[in-house]
Amino acid sequence: MNTSNSHAKTPGRLVKAPENFLGAHAVSTVFEEAKRGRRNFLRNAFAAASLAASVPALAQASASPQTQGDAHILNLPEHSRGLGQAVASDGYGKPSKFETNVQRRTSPGLTQTAQASVSFAPLQSLFGIVTPSGLHFERHHQGWWDIDPSKHRLMINGADDNLVKTPMVFTMDEIMRLPSVSRFHFIECGANTGMEWGNVAVPTCQYTHGMISCSEFTGVPLKLLLDRAGVDYRRGRYVLAEGADGSSMTRTVPMELIESGEVFVAYGQNGEMLRPENGYPLRLVVPGVQGVSWVKYLRRIEVGDKPYGTKDEVIHYVDLMPGGKHRQYTSTQECKSVVTTPSGGQLLLDQGFYNITGLAWSGRGKVRAVDVSTDGGRNWRKARLESPVLNKCLTRFSLDWVWDGKPALIQSRATDETGYVQPSSRQLRAVRGTRSIYHNNSIQTWLVQENGEVKNVQVA
Ligand SMILES: Nc1nc2c(c(=O)[nH]1)N[C@H]1C(S)=C(S)[C@@H](COP(=O)(O)O)O[C@H]1N2
Ligand SMILES: [Mo]
């Protein structure tokens, strides 16, 4: 296998990811983590990690029968001869001990305090569209809580007496008696992919795109609760959603979104109650809108006749534009996609067939198409969209690829049902400059090097 590292041979003008962003030490830690956690494609199916070192990687890489001398096919393993374990006695199942590398991770480059922290979902290790609840990304502005549901209340009131006829307080029991909906939606933090704005590149897709997750949420449409409280929808065109944690998270949500029936107060996530770190026992689900509006530990909805302009919408989640102006009140997460395999930190063991796969989404509806390039955007092929393709939900795409062992630049470009096409980073920077932190939905590039290592790069 050629282990040449040369970028010069690679098509396209490359900007190598600066490695001083996290500090050299932190970068190597992250790369090591990434390698340990990598989905190395052949892992479970053909490659046996414990296989004698004498079996060359090439033999493992082939899907054709390699029975000769392979103890793992010739000898009957112990688990085929003995008695297995009784039912799991701890009452709640856990992943295999061989999967312990699949974890949420915090970034050594971002400040971690109990007050403000973020953990990233391991997108490179996930299949399909649902994020297992224990791997859902986390973003806490003031730490998380495990709130006693018997003491949790949701209040609905008006900014003035005429906006809400009967202000109400709901217990969790009362909310859970009401007609419910269950829907699959993605939630993406507005800061997802923020590091890529200024040619700063973090090593793996866990860090570039891991502030997105997707769940089946269950709860009660907010419209139903507002109807019960007798909202004056003519004047009451906005609501303020407030969380019960110390961050006093407050966001304005326009009433159109609530009237559409899409916004709901959720207590369920992937068939069970929400996890504490995701807002147990109640959170707001605002499909298509950036994560910050999905207020966790939801305790109050106030109906108002104008936007509230709270700290979380005026100071935070705003974008600094090239002319020095601020772009405020951005809320819809625009169409975006990322290839999760092959992606940064992974290793292709040999040339040959690979299933390129990834995730696409749009805050404006369904994903219509995903194009994939393996040459940095010169040529594009249509990817297969795996079903289901749902509204404001992650969509899984795949494409057959035979790697010839040469450097390749892997990209994906999603189009949503409104016809909006995901921009290149150059197109996005032309409009928005490089000083933003938030709302980066540009095309991601992964460089597959001749030695099989995959890196995060930016194509100029
Ligand atoms: N009450 C409360 N709600 C909150 C937050 C918070 O810190 N407190 N963080 C917000 C942000 S910025 C995001 S991106 C999402 C993260 O949700 P998750 O932690 O379930 O992934 O919750 C939002 N809702
Ligand atoms: Mo966020």
Side-chain angles (χ1 to χ4, degrees):
M1 214 176 291
N2 191 340
T3 51
S4 157
N5 235 345
S6 159
H7 285 89
K9 290 183 194 154
T10 316
R13 277 161 293 150
L14 286 179
V15 180
K16 191 172 180 293
E19 298 193 344
N20 58 1
F21 162 63
L22 300 171
H25 173 72
V27 165
S28 62
T29 311
V30 170
F31 266 114
E32 279 319 304
E33 272 179 11
K35 278 184 189 160
R36 270 184 274 119
R38 78 195 178 210
R39 220 13 85 214
N40 59 15
F41 310 108
L42 308 164
R43 202 180 47 149
N44 293 330
F46 325 114
S50 60
L51 206 60
S54 61
V55 178
L58 264 170
Q60 293 176 49
S62 166
S64 60
Q66 297 294 327
T67 51
Q68 216 163 21
D70 187 343
H72 296 281
I73 190 76
L74 292 177
N75 302 337
L76 208 54
E78 198 189 323
H79 51 79
S80 305
R81 290 182 273 125
L83 203 56
Q85 300 181 59
V87 289
S89 56
D90 54 5
Y92 200 99
K94 290 187 196 67
S96 159
K97 64 174 185 269
F98 301 105
E99 298 298 324
T100 48
N101 275 319
V102 182
Q103 290 188 1
R104 295 194 271 229
R105 294 186 194 280
T106 55
S107 164
L110 292 175
T111 318
Q112 296 295 323
T113 66
Q115 289 73 39
S117 47
V118 51
S119 72
F120 298 82
L123 301 185
Q124 71 283 1
S125 303
L126 304 181
F127 313 115
I129 57 172
V130 169
T131 313
S133 298
L135 297 174
H136 194 290
F137 85 96
E138 301 162 85
R139 177 71 183 101
H140 313 301
H141 290 235
Q142 201 69 236
W144 61 273
W145 296 89
D146 196 359
I147 293 173
D148 180 347
S150 72
K151 295 182 181 149
H152 189 73
R153 300 288 182 272
L154 173 65
M155 180 162 109
I156 295 183
N157 68 285
D160 66 51
D161 288 349
N162 299 322
L163 282 163
V164 171
K165 210 176 289 164
T166 326
M168 294 184 87
V169 173
F170 293 89
T171 65
M172 285 305 297
D173 286 341
E174 284 163 352
I175 289 172
M176 293 177 73
R177 287 174 64 174
L178 297 172
S180 67
V181 295
S182 291
R183 291 181 193 144
F184 292 86
H185 289 298
F186 75 81
I187 166 175
E188 181 182 24
C189 177
N192 199 23
T193 325
M195 296 307 166
E196 308 292 310
W197 269 116
N199 273 333
V200 179
V202 286
T204 69
C205 78
Q206 179 153 14
Y207 292 106
T208 58
H209 289 76
M211 278 199 272
I212 190 165
S213 292
C214 184
S215 303
E216 185 190 34
F217 291 101
T218 299
V220 178
L222 181 54
K223 174 79 166 47
L224 195 150
L225 301 179
L226 297 188
D227 285 351
R228 293 207 165 196
V231 167
D232 174 355
Y233 289 104
R234 208 179 32 83
R235 279 187 59 227
R237 298 315 299 159
Y238 299 91
V239 309
L240 178 81
E242 181 186 84
D245 56 330
S247 72
S248 298
M249 177 58 66
T250 39
R251 291 285 302 186
T252 303
V253 181
M255 193 61 91
E256 300 98 77
L257 292 184
I258 295 157
E259 288 174 310
S260 78
E262 283 198 351
V263 176
F264 58 105
V265 299
Y267 44 79
Q269 177 183 358
N270 297 331
E272 59 184 0
M273 289 297 285
L274 290 165
R275 293 293 169 92
E277 55 275 35
N278 304 120
Y280 180 88
L282 198 66
R283 90 175 303 166
L284 197 62
V285 169
V286 195
V289 171
Q290 63 177 332
V292 66
S293 292
W294 295 47
V295 173
K296 301 191 275 192
Y297 321 109
L298 182 70
R299 73 159 165 215
R300 196 166 71 90
I301 295 284
E302 180 177 298
V303 178
D305 57 1
K306 49 181 173 301
Y308 284 78
T310 70
K311 66 170 170 41
D312 295 301
E313 44 207 14
V314 177
I315 307 172
H316 301 141
Y317 299 92
V318 301
D319 300 303
L320 185 53
M321 300 292 281
K325 283 192 176 165
H326 274 133
R327 177 175 177 259
Q328 285 177 312
Y329 307 114
T330 322
S331 76
T332 304
Q333 292 299 100
E334 298 293 356
C335 187
K336 182 168 168 181
S337 68
V338 64
V339 169
T340 54
T341 291
S343 64
Q346 293 182 323
L347 181 70
L348 303 194
L349 295 185
D350 189 27
Q351 339 181 343
F353 181 87
Y354 290 96
N355 179 43
I356 296 180
T357 184
L359 295 163
W361 60 97
S362 168
R364 298 198 186 273
K366 292 182 182 173
V367 170
R368 181 194 287 166
V370 178
D371 302 307
V372 169
S373 175
T374 55
D375 58 8
R378 288 180 192 168
N379 297 288
W380 296 92
R381 281 197 288 156
K382 280 257 168 309
R384 296 186 297 276
L385 302 189
E386 311 291 349
S387 63
V389 177
L390 300 171
N391 178 43
K392 302 174 186 176
C393 182
L394 293 188
T395 296
R396 170 68 60 178
F397 65 86
S398 312
L399 184 76
D400 296 348
W401 182 49
V402 177
W403 183 44
D404 58 8
K406 302 218 177 78
L409 289 165
I410 313 277
Q411 299 180 325
S412 64
R413 181 182 66 193
T415 303
D416 70 17
E417 63 181 344
T418 71
Y420 175 98
V421 182
Q422 182 182 5
S424 68
S425 48
R426 194 203 323 203
Q427 288 168 328
L428 191 68
R429 287 195 183 108
V431 179
R432 305 259 305 278
T434 57
R435 290 192 287 169
S436 280
I437 300 172
Y438 304 107
H439 313 118
N440 184 342
N441 69 321
S442 64
I443 291 171
Q444 172 69 39
T445 310
W446 303 116
L447 166 67
V448 178
Q449 296 175 308
E450 285 175 53
N451 65 4
E453 283 184 18
V454 188
K455 285 204 159 173
N456 181 6
V457 294
Q458 301 205 352
V459 183

